Amino acid sequence: MAEEAEGSQIKTQAPSLSGSQENGGVVELAVALGNGDNGEGNHNPDMYSQLVATVTLQQKEINSLNGKLEQVLQRLSKLESAASPTTQLRSGPLRAMAPPRSAPPTSRRQTIDPRQMRASRGSTSEDLTDSRRRVPATSSSSLHKRFQSKERVSKEVKDEPGMYRMYLQGRPVSFRLPEGYEQPVNPEPAPAPQQQLKLDWAYGYRGKDCRNNLLLLGSGEVVYFTASVCVIYDVDTASQRHYVEHTDDVKSIAVHPDKVTVASGQVAGHARPVKGAKGGSKAAATDPNFLPHIRIWSSSTLETLKVVGAGTLDRAVACISFSVTDGGQLLCAVDEHNDHRMSVWDWNKGAKGTKLAEMKASQDAVYQAEFHPTEANQIVCCGKNQLSFWSLDGKTLGKKMALFEKHDKPKFVTCLTFTSEGHVVTGDSNGNILIWNKGSNKISSILSAAHEGVVFNLAMADDGTLISGGGRDRLVKSWDLKEKTEMSCQLLPEEVGSSRTLVKRGDKYLVGTIKNSIVCGDNLSDMTSVKVVTQGHYGELWGLAEHNSSHHFFTCAYDNHVKLWDAAEHRALWDITLSESLHCVSVSHDGELLAVGSRTPNWYVYQVSSQQQLASGSCGSEQLECCEFSPDGAYVAFGSRDNNIYVYKIEGGASLKLAGKCQGHTSFVTHIDWSVDSSYLRSNSGDYELLYWEVSTCKQFTEGEKIRELEFVTQNCTLSLNTVGIWPAGADGTDINGCAVNRDKSLVASADDFGKVNLYSYPSRTPTANGHSYSGHSSHVTSVKFTCTGETMLSAGGKDSTVLQWSIVQ
């Protein structure tokens, strides 16, 4: 971001190259090497994309080949066992067959762009089938032995009492069957549930890295975006409506001169690989809906009117604008190609619009491109090292660069707007506001040092007052351009951050901020007493926990914040800031205690009512992946990336004492469930293990009859007999990040790596069960939870930092 170029106090965490993160460290190295400047302070898209794509593809190929090799070795071993009566088939009661330590599975916590990881997925169930077909048979006798071996293996697996086996990447995962339950042979996929989900509320706003994205509609509503959702917010009724047809991050938005039609541009999307499709996920990516494109839609009916640019635009749509002088017939777009190509479209012509002209805009980032409101076919464009004036003549675009002459040329021209007379007003990283006369590319006047550091946004009020928002100083100012004087100056609250976009609605001002919040004030003279319209996290979001007896829920993220939310009032009730990034959160069953795990071994326990910290400590040597309170409130367990589970005894309601350490996993612990009587734990790990533990001794136990009788309060573990059906065909073990069941245990929801929230009937014991799938998140969905009422479900997006609230409807 431009404020980073000016020495902003907003800091980013340097990539870690810890060997404990297995092959994720290689990818992080690629990210570090590609961390160049693109005008937003982020990585260079060329170098970043090439390095990450190359490294990730090589890792996936290695993992896939290792998986196939393991299958071949297993089958060869079985062939040998068929010839040797003394050799027995190895089987464990509950433990999945772990992959070789030399080739660990790809971690779902790798610090890479999830879209790159998804695009490079290759191994499908068909690939695994092909590898099985390659077992050599050189003679009729060896062929006979193969069939004998198959019969013997099938008989041994079938004779193993009360067991069911599923495969992930060719690796078997075994589950105990409940007493009296017999898994059917070749079962039909379970039907989808009668209930469905309807998006009710989106907590978040993308202000951390996007601009000019809070706009006013003719109805008096405002429109903005978060994740892949375009939100229409009614200020008077405090209600939301949602346009949810995008398949990935929305990056830009524009309102037509009719104040009803909206255009929104997205990044390249991703899709779950289709079983049987040639090319796996790459084949799915050829769907136009998953290419960068612009969707033009009605804000009144939420109906899609036109999809423009699919197959033409590259990577993402950085900025868009409707023409004004001709009533919005033309649409200008700048994509994120290496050359940031500008294209102009007659969007009403043809089924997919007609491109009139295209030209390279700049090799540097483009922040804003706007049609001139009073001059036909004129476009003004700003960004890193540039302010340019464009003219459209038929099918040709002409470009004229701004001349700064004796004035210092800023590194970033960050924003622009127009006066009623047609003059151009720009803000830059030097903190200056420049005025350029209509039709000229030379500066006519300047407001020097208007802000300390970067000027983030400019807006013109109906009375001709200019409003500006600063980055580092968090100030919102109003200016009399005729007198070149400052009229008012107000400081935004620190908790919402600096302004990113500002819009005036009647006598109210709405401000979108860099901390992904939108606030509303009655006037610029008192912006300190603002009302929060929406609030979100501004770091990667993993922690989500529901209150067991109210409509409250908790979140924590890499922005160091823990928040308590009210799902009924759609607002945050309190916010605690810690000194480090946070990864997991859990609330006790009585709602009194809150446990938070960080990206280090550190944990914290708070009293919910007073927000007072009761205890803190550390366990293990690495990041805490998950945490969970026991139903009786006597224990809290933390699952660590060091492969262990640390169980703490809660003493006196205010202190924690380590009761024991559960050791036995061969990879990082991903999920934990407590039994109803608080005596047992079950857990999953990164290499597809399902283990059971006795809490009193913290020892693993494998008593099959006892395991069959256990009942668990939650269904956090994605690998269990009751969640077999939530795994898609050809899943690689990282595709499902989390799951949860509702209170009456009739529904199970899953959070996947493809930006989807999925709903199935529970229990889901047949492979690839039928269910409902919902869009809204743009990156990997990290967690799902049902509220205690059974009427609402929550989902957390990782990179999109957004919480979506869903109503459960028949």
Side-chain angles (χ1 to χ4, degrees), residues 8 60 69 134 239 411 437 447 523 543 568 592 633 654 663 710:
S8 170
K60 285 292 183 180
L69 176 60
R134 287 193 286 270
S239 60
K411 185 174 182 180
N437 281 343
L447 299 176
N523 56 71
E592 290 296 321
Q663 296 177 287
L710 289 180

Side-chain angles (χ1 to χ4, degrees), residues 64-73 75 123-136 146 169-170:
S64 177
L65 290 172
N66 272 291
K68 294 175 182 178
L69 176 60
E70 183 183 353
Q71 294 172 54
V72 173
L73 292 175
R75 291 190 169 276
S123 181
T124 66
S125 57
E126 283 203 355
D127 295 328
L128 302 180
T129 303
D130 290 339
S131 69
R132 297 185 189 111
R133 293 179 185 139
R134 287 193 286 270
V135 178
R146 286 180 61 199
Q169 284 291 86

Side-chain angles (χ1 to χ4, degrees), residues 18 51 230 297 359 417 617 768:
S18 170
L51 287 171
C230 294
W297 49 280
M359 186 175 174
T417 189
T768 59

Side-chain angles (χ1 to χ4, degrees), residues 761-784:
S761 296
Y762 187 83
S764 185
R765 294 174 176 170
T766 56
T768 59
N770 293 307
H772 307 297
S773 186
Y774 303 92
S775 300
H777 290 289
S778 55
S779 68
H780 50 292
V781 186
T782 55
S783 183
V784 287

Side-chain angles (χ1 to χ4, degrees), residues 433-692:
I433 297 175
L434 308 178
I435 295 91
W436 312 73
N437 281 343
K438 179 179 178 180
S440 172
N441 65 335
K442 296 182 179 180
I443 299 170
S444 64
S445 58
I446 181 171
L447 299 176
S448 298
H451 286 274
E452 180 185 351
V454 66
V455 180
F456 264 158
N457 60 277
L458 296 170
M460 292 297 302
D462 295 336
D463 62 0
T465 300
L466 175 69
I467 305 163
S468 64
R472 188 185 308 168
D473 58 16
R474 299 202 324 272
L475 294 175
V476 177
K477 298 184 178 183
S478 61
W479 303 86
D480 184 331
L481 286 183
K482 292 182 179 179
E483 300 296 330
K484 307 294 186 297
T485 57
E486 180 182 310
M487 298 170 59
S488 66
C489 176
Q490 292 298 325
L491 180 68
L492 286 173
E494 184 177 0
E495 58 267 23
V496 300
S498 305
S499 65
R500 176 65 82 183
T501 305
L502 189 147
V503 62
K504 189 174 186 297
R505 178 189 179 273
D507 59 349
K508 297 182 183 297
Y509 291 87
L510 286 96
V511 182
T513 74
I514 64 171
K515 290 188 177 181
N516 290 355
S517 298
I518 298 175
V519 296
C520 179
D522 290 334
N523 56 71
L524 287 179
S525 299
D526 188 18
M527 291 298 289
T528 56
S529 59
V530 294
K531 173 187 175 184
V532 177
V533 170
T534 189
Q535 189 175 5
H537 285 281
Y538 53 95
E540 188 168 343
L541 174 60
W542 282 89
L544 176 64
E546 81 283 12
H547 197 286
N548 286 287
S549 58
S550 74
H551 41 69
H552 295 165
F553 65 95
F554 301 84
T555 58
C556 69
Y558 292 0
D559 57 11
N560 303 2
H561 287 268
V562 185
K563 297 178 187 287
L564 168 65
W565 304 82
D566 189 318
E569 297 184 7
H570 305 129
R571 65 186 183 94
L573 300 179
W574 53 250
D575 184 343
I576 299 173
T577 305
L578 280 77
S579 59
E580 59 182 326
S581 300
L582 307 172
H583 188 78
C584 56
V585 63
S586 177
V587 61
S588 61
H589 286 246
D590 61 6
E592 290 296 321
L593 300 179
L594 184 73
V596 184
S598 73
R599 297 184 70 193
T600 68
N602 298 333
W603 53 260
Y604 307 87
V605 174
Y606 288 86
Q607 185 177 48
V608 173
S609 57
S610 66
Q611 304 162 49
Q612 178 184 358
Q613 186 180 117
L614 302 179
S616 64
S618 63
C619 52
S621 57
E622 298 191 46
Q623 171 177 302
L624 298 180
E625 292 287 329
C626 54
C627 58
E628 198 72 27
F629 280 95
S630 63
D632 61 5
Y635 299 94
V636 61
F638 294 91
S640 173
R641 200 168 179 84
D642 68 3
N643 306 351
N644 300 317
I645 300 173
Y646 298 84
V647 181
Y648 285 84
K649 177 74 173 175
I650 302 173
E651 298 180 337
S655 63
L656 272 67
K657 180 181 179 181
L658 183 63
K661 179 168 64 172
C662 302
Q663 296 177 287
H665 278 297
T666 56
S667 184
F668 57 91
V669 181
T670 57
H671 304 94
I672 296 172
D673 288 311
W674 282 90
S675 64
V676 173
D677 62 2
S678 301
S679 298
Y680 300 94
L681 286 168
R682 69 177 174 190
S683 55
N684 288 158
S685 67
D687 55 357
Y688 324 142
E689 292 177 321
L690 172 62
L691 303 185
Y692 292 81

